[in-house]
């Protein structure tokens, strides 16, 4: 018997079949989600991301008379808040049909470390490869961790964003020249990709709102890509009308002056004063000298900004270990300095929320290295008698 099917019937059949397949998948996914909840487990690394606790930082709260809360993003499986962003960027590319698992497709990104680590972890878990381009002056353990996660690590000299060999630009070039057929090269583009701020709008911000609600008076955090700041501000400000949003900015970054005076400029950019090409600070992960799409999405919601010096960040990190047993990375320390500033400006009785982006474990050879800090001329010793007023 010969089967003859006209085009219209074939089209109807294909559409019907696709619809049935999609509905079946949704039903099975719902059934799997229900089973996981009933049995008390999550499905793979993806399921470990998010739902991080909000902790009261005892020493800072008692010193200021405010309740200073830190969202413990360092408890994500990849060790930082960047796990959320990496998951959404990769998942979005999969949904768009750009990335297909187990085809040799590779996610490319230019990063100072944390996003690369998250991408390497999640790419591996979802059947992709990772190629990370980084400045060659970052903490050594970041390179080591990326390599252990199976990523290709390309180190480049720190140069201006206008240079084609700048680490972000080079990652884009590498992606564009990679792949054939189903093997694709995908540029994650965390600075400009909407999936960045959207993930914080959809997950991080609702978590904070559920944890503290309208009791929150101020949100304080730094910005690198600006995705976290924008995502949180866009979600929380319309729901908490009294909320003040403060930017925490390290030395050498131009965002402080952009927020304060609408001028993108850092004093370290004066001729003959710049030491490094990106941001003159020991702090990694925040601070930038250009406006990104992600930062611009929520820039109009930022009320004020605080400049944080390297010495303040370094000594805050050591203060938190001494007083709270809290071992944090550089951007988290900057956030905590700015949170104290916000608390002092607003006065006792207010609730201040900040992010604890990552732990000190990936900053051992730089931010937490006495030898490195000594060579860089950054004061790092915190005497037993010193309190917040002595270094802030």
């Amino acid at each position: 018997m010969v089967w003859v099917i006209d085009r219209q019937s074939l089209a109807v059949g294909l559409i019907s079949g696709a619809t049935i397949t999609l509905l079946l998948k949704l039903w099975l996914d719902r059934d799997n989600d229900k089973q996981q909840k009933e049995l008390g487990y999550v499905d793979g690394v993806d399921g470990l991301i998010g739902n991080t606790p909000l902790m009261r930082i005892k020493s800072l709260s008692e010193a200021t008379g405010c309740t200073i809360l830190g969202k413990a993003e360092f408890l994500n499986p990849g060790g930082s808040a960047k796990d959320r962003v990496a998951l959404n960027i990769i998942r979005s590319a999969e949904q768009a049909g750009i990335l297909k698992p187990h085809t040799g497709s590779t996610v490319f990104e230019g990063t100072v470390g944390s996003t690369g680590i998250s991408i390497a972890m999640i790419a591996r878990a979802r059947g992709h490869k990772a190629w990370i381009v980084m400045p060659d002056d970052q903490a050594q353990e970041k390179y080591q961790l990326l390599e252990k996660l199976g990523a290709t690590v390309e180190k480049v000299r720190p140069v201006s964003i206008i240079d084609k060999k700048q680490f972000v630009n080079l990652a884009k070039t590498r992606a564009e020249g990679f792949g054939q057929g189903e093997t694709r090269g995908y540029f994650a583009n965390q600075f400009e990709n909407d999936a960045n701020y959207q993930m914080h709008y959809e997950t991080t911000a609702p978590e904070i709102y559920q944890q503290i609600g309208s009791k929150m008076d101020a949100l304080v955090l730094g910005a690198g890509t600006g995705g976290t700041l924008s995502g949180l501000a866009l979600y929380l400000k319309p729901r908490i009308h009294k909320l003040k949003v403060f930017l925490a900015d390290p030395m050498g970054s131009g965002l402080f002056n952009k927020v304060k005076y609408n001028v993108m400029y850092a004093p370290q950019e004066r001729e003959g004063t710049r030491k490094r090409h990106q941001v003159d600070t020991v702090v990694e992960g925040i601070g930038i000298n250009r406006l990104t799409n992600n930062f611009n999405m929520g820039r109009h919601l930022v009320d004020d900004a605080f400049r944080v010096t390297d010495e303040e960040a370094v000594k805050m990190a050591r203060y938190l270990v001494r007083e709270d047993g809290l071992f944090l990375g550089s951007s988290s320390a900057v956030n905590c300095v700015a949170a104290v500033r916000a608390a002092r400006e607003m006065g006792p009785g207010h609730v201040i929320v900040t992010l604890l982006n990552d732990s000190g474990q990936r900053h051992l050879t730089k931010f937490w290295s006495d030898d490195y800090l000594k060579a860089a001329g950054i004061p790092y010793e915190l005497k037993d008698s010193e309190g917040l007023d002595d270094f802030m």
Side-chain angles (χ1 to χ4, degrees):
M1 180 181 291
V2 178
W3 293 92
V4 179
I5 304 176
D6 60 73
R7 291 183 179 181
Q8 183 178 358
S9 299
L10 179 60
V12 170
L14 288 172
I15 293 171
S16 300
T19 302
I20 292 170
T21 301
L22 177 61
L23 290 173
L24 180 61
K25 185 179 186 304
L26 291 172
W27 183 84
L28 289 172
D29 287 345
R30 183 193 65 177
D31 194 53
N32 287 336
D33 290 343
K34 182 180 178 182
Q35 183 183 32
Q36 289 168 26
K37 289 178 181 178
E38 289 175 351
L39 296 177
Y41 65 83
V42 298
D43 192 21
V45 166
D46 295 4
L48 296 172
I49 297 172
N51 294 310
T52 55
L54 195 62
M55 64 167 288
R56 176 175 175 266
I57 305 176
K58 186 177 178 181
S59 66
L60 303 186
S61 298
E62 292 179 351
T64 60
C66 289
T67 300
I68 297 182
L69 305 173
K71 189 156 176 62
E73 288 293 283
F74 60 83
L75 294 178
N76 281 300
S80 81
K82 295 297 186 179
D83 285 2
R84 298 178 187 261
V85 176
L87 174 60
N88 203 33
I89 287 175
I90 292 174
R91 190 167 55 193
S92 297
E94 290 173 343
Q95 292 169 351
I98 300 170
L99 291 176
K100 294 181 180 180
H102 310 297
T103 60
S105 292
T106 300
V107 182
F108 290 78
E109 184 58 308
T111 169
V112 296
S114 289
T115 303
I117 292 166
S118 298
I119 285 175
M121 177 189 73
I122 295 164
R124 177 68 67 178
R126 298 178 75 92
H128 311 297
K129 296 180 180 180
W131 186 309
I132 307 301
V133 185
M134 294 176 64
D136 61 8
D137 59 349
Q138 302 301 291
Q140 292 301 309
E141 51 270 29
K142 291 184 179 181
Y143 307 121
Q144 294 166 355
L145 184 52
L146 280 164
E147 289 167 352
K148 296 302 180 185
L149 285 167
T152 298
V153 181
E154 184 174 359
K155 303 175 189 177
V156 297
R157 184 172 60 87
V159 293
S160 169
I161 188 65
I162 63 173
D163 194 311
K164 292 181 179 180
K165 294 184 178 180
Q166 192 265 358
F167 65 100
V168 176
N169 296 335
L170 188 58
K172 181 181 180 181
T173 300
R174 294 280 187 260
E176 290 172 345
F178 182 88
Q180 186 176 3
E182 284 195 333
T183 301
R184 303 277 187 86
Y186 178 66
F187 177 44
N189 198 16
Q190 60 168 326
F191 290 91
E192 311 301 331
N193 196 326
D194 286 347
N196 184 339
Y197 86 88
Q198 287 171 351
M199 188 61 165
H200 291 295
Y201 183 91
E202 294 168 2
T203 66
T204 320
E207 288 172 25
I208 292 173
Y209 191 69
Q210 184 178 24
Q211 289 165 330
I212 192 64
S214 59
K215 296 177 182 178
M216 181 178 173
D217 296 299
L219 173 68
V220 183
L221 69 159
T225 66
T228 310
L229 184 147
S230 289
L232 298 188
L234 286 165
Y235 183 93
L236 294 170
K237 267 225 165 182
R239 292 166 173 79
I240 309 173
H241 298 298
K242 64 177 179 178
L243 183 68
K244 298 292 184 183
V245 177
F246 296 96
L247 170 74
D249 211 32
M251 301 298 293
S253 173
L255 295 180
F256 172 83
N257 281 326
K258 187 63 179 177
V259 170
K260 297 281 283 188
Y261 312 112
N262 199 30
V263 177
M264 194 71 178
Y265 174 76
Q268 287 76 13
E269 291 183 302
R270 291 195 304 269
E271 186 176 355
T273 63
R274 178 166 287 283
K275 298 176 183 176
R276 300 174 65 240
H277 285 276
Q278 188 184 9
V279 177
D280 280 325
T281 179
V282 71
V283 174
E284 297 178 354
I286 59 173
I288 195 169
N289 283 306
R290 61 186 174 90
L291 288 177
T292 66
N293 171 62
N294 276 283
F295 183 78
N296 268 333
M297 292 302 297
R299 179 162 62 99
H300 62 288
L301 298 174
V302 181
D303 295 288
D304 205 351
F306 298 113
R307 174 82 77 197
V308 178
T309 68
D310 282 350
E311 180 179 356
E312 287 173 326
V314 166
K315 290 191 174 181
M316 174 60 80
R318 283 146 179 77
Y319 178 85
L320 290 170
V321 166
R322 189 186 76 190
E323 300 296 324
D324 300 274
L326 197 55
F327 186 51
L328 299 176
S330 56
S331 63
S332 302
V334 169
N335 285 349
C336 287
V337 171
V340 170
R341 290 238 179 89
R344 288 175 171 175
E345 183 174 298
M346 299 183 77
H350 290 89
V351 177
I352 317 293
V353 174
T354 191
L355 263 66
L356 308 180
N357 300 314
D358 64 359
S359 78
Q361 294 177 6
R362 58 183 60 168
H363 298 267
L364 296 174
T365 58
K366 192 173 178 182
F367 183 74
W368 274 99
S369 168
D370 292 352
D371 291 338
Y372 179 92
L373 296 173
K374 184 177 181 180
I378 301 170
Y380 61 88
E381 292 183 359
L382 183 69
K383 298 177 182 177
D384 292 340
S385 59
E386 283 188 88
L388 294 176
D389 290 334
D390 295 306
F391 62 83
M392 284 186 60

